[in-house]
Amino acid sequence: MSGLCGTDYRIWTGDRPVAYPLVLGHEFVGMVEAVGADVARVRVGERVAVEPNYSCGVCPLCREGNRNLCLKRTAVGIDVDGCFAELASVPERCCWPAPTGVSDDDLMVTEPLAVVVRAVAKAAIRPGESAAVVGGGTLGLLALQVLKAHGARVLVVSRTARRFDLARELGAAATHALGDEPLEAAASRFAGREGVDVVIETAGTAEAVAQSLATVRPGGRVVLTGLPHEPTPVAFFSVVRREVTISGSMIYQDEFPEAMRLIQTGAVRTRPLVTHRFDLDAIVAAFAAHELADSIKVAVRCP
Ligand SMILES: [Zn+2]
Ligand SMILES: [Zn+2]
């Protein structure tokens, strides 16, 4: 079972060039069909969630524990063949045995969940703090739930109100559609002070970065998970003047077990995010569905 995301879509449209031919797909859970000679971590027949990035293991970044930043990192489904296929081949260290009693449907979202587990850890959120999530897509709706699991009150900020009913169902204390009223005012009202303590940005646009800075209080923390492809003007005057901490958070490195634990305990609900399902041979329709307004996460069933 695989999830389809914006990265897959950009490769599919040609927006993001890769070395062709390439089998796409990087968000997946599956059954181990065969293992190499020295594999000890997983057994044939075991269900695993796949961490679709692996580092070189020998560079200074890898050796000092920054393997998510490795410049020779290999991304499954981007640099090498991925999971939109009957069989996929990955190194054993990418395989995390799945907890029992959790369906493939739920575990399929482990990869994007691991991204926000890391981001929320970087924000060092404390119980009782106020937080905002910028972006109402898969990452935003997952970040909301992880923040809530850490005891934060969460405001969801999005361009449209389309996902707000779902955001509230998943635990958002408040929602704000851009354009309703100035974001600063909405954030202050929500936090009961000058802004929220923590912002997790998940939209990956220049505007989302500006919105994150408008939402956070002086002395607050902003963690960026999106990768804006356009120039991103930042008012550093306000960053310095207000001593805002801005951190980047890049994918994950040890977050898969925690992501699976959050799914297993029900602290994070993934099922409501899966809005569309297709069989592998209907992959063209799956890509089309990714672009629909009501689409959050599209699932692809690989036989
Ligand atoms: Zn993805
Ligand atoms: Zn490395």
Side-chain angles (χ1 to χ4, degrees), residues 192-279:
R193 54 175 303 177
E194 310 87 343
V196 299
D197 300 307
V198 160
V199 181
I200 307 289
E201 179 282 321
T202 66
T205 61
E207 299 83 61
V209 175
Q211 289 149 14
S212 300
L213 288 169
T215 310
V216 76
R217 68 167 168 82
R221 296 95 78 194
V222 173
V223 180
L224 309 174
T225 71
L227 293 162
H229 291 276
E230 69 270 25
T232 306
V234 171
F236 278 105
F237 181 90
S238 109
V239 173
V240 175
R241 176 85 172 70
R242 302 188 302 143
E243 277 197 353
V244 171
T245 303
I246 304 176
S247 316
S249 187
M250 181 59 186
I251 56 170
Y252 33 73
Q253 56 173 359
D254 292 310
E255 284 79 8
F256 263 61
E258 171 66 1
M260 290 195 291
R261 191 191 67 80
L262 288 167
I263 295 170
Q264 189 181 25
T265 61
V268 169
R269 288 168 59 208
T270 57
R271 199 71 68 93
L273 307 186
V274 181
T275 50
H276 297 78
R277 290 158 203 284
F278 295 91
D279 287 328

Side-chain angles (χ1 to χ4, degrees), residues 18-295:
V18 292
Y20 302 101
L22 176 75
V23 176
L24 305 186
H26 58 273
E27 301 179 1
F28 61 123
V29 53
M31 193 72 83
V32 177
E33 290 285 343
V35 295
D38 300 324
V39 170
R41 188 180 161 102
V42 290
R43 293 184 312 276
V44 171
E46 203 164 13
R47 220 158 48 103
V48 295
V50 176
E51 180 176 336
N53 281 279
Y54 51 94
S55 59
C56 80
V58 296
C59 74
L61 285 163
C62 283
R63 281 190 307 208
E64 70 199 12
N66 288 313
R67 63 180 197 277
N68 58 324
L69 308 182
C70 173
L71 301 179
K72 297 193 200 96
R73 182 169 53 85
T74 303
V76 174
I78 299 171
D79 302 315
V80 295
D81 283 346
C83 66
F84 295 158
E86 287 81 4
L87 292 169
S89 161
V90 293
E92 68 173 315
R93 63 194 153 118
C94 295
C95 297
W96 293 95
T100 49
V102 186
S103 72
D104 285 1
D105 260 31
D106 289 319
L107 286 174
M108 189 193 81
V109 190
T110 304
E111 196 266 353
L113 178 56
V115 171
V116 295
V117 165
R118 182 174 184 80
V120 171
K122 285 215 163 220
I125 189 90
R126 291 181 290 272
E129 282 194 310
S130 60
V133 169
V134 174
T138 301
L139 289 175
L141 295 170
L142 291 172
L144 146 69
Q145 299 182 73
V146 177
L147 286 162
K148 180 120 193 302
H150 281 81
R153 285 177 62 243
V154 187
L155 166 71
V156 172
V157 176
S158 177
R159 267 179 314 191
T160 76
R162 208 161 44 216
R163 308 263 167 77
F164 286 173
D165 284 346
L166 179 57
R168 284 181 180 279
E169 190 190 318
L170 295 175
T175 51
H176 176 81
L178 294 164
D180 281 1
E181 72 173 302
L183 186 51
E184 290 84 344
S188 299
R189 189 158 37 77
F190 172 72
R193 54 175 303 177
E194 310 87 343
V196 299
D197 300 307
V198 160
V199 181
I200 307 289
E201 179 282 321
T202 66
T205 61
E207 299 83 61
V209 175
Q211 289 149 14
S212 300
L213 288 169
T215 310
V216 76
R217 68 167 168 82
R221 296 95 78 194
V222 173
V223 180
L224 309 174
T225 71
L227 293 162
H229 291 276
E230 69 270 25
T232 306
V234 171
F236 278 105
F237 181 90
S238 109
V239 173
V240 175
R241 176 85 172 70
R242 302 188 302 143
E243 277 197 353
V244 171
T245 303
I246 304 176
S247 316
S249 187
M250 181 59 186
I251 56 170
Y252 33 73
Q253 56 173 359
D254 292 310
E255 284 79 8
F256 263 61
E258 171 66 1
M260 290 195 291
R261 191 191 67 80
L262 288 167
I263 295 170
Q264 189 181 25
T265 61
V268 169
R269 288 168 59 208
T270 57
R271 199 71 68 93
L273 307 186
V274 181
T275 50
H276 297 78
R277 290 158 203 284
F278 295 91
D279 287 328
L280 181 58
D281 58 10
I283 188 84
V284 175
F287 276 107
H290 175 77
E291 282 303 276
L292 298 174
D294 66 342
S295 157

Side-chain angles (χ1 to χ4, degrees), residues 3-8 26-27 111-112 297:
L4 195 153
C5 83
T7 303
D8 301 310
H26 58 273
E27 301 179 1
E111 196 266 353
K297 179 58 71 184

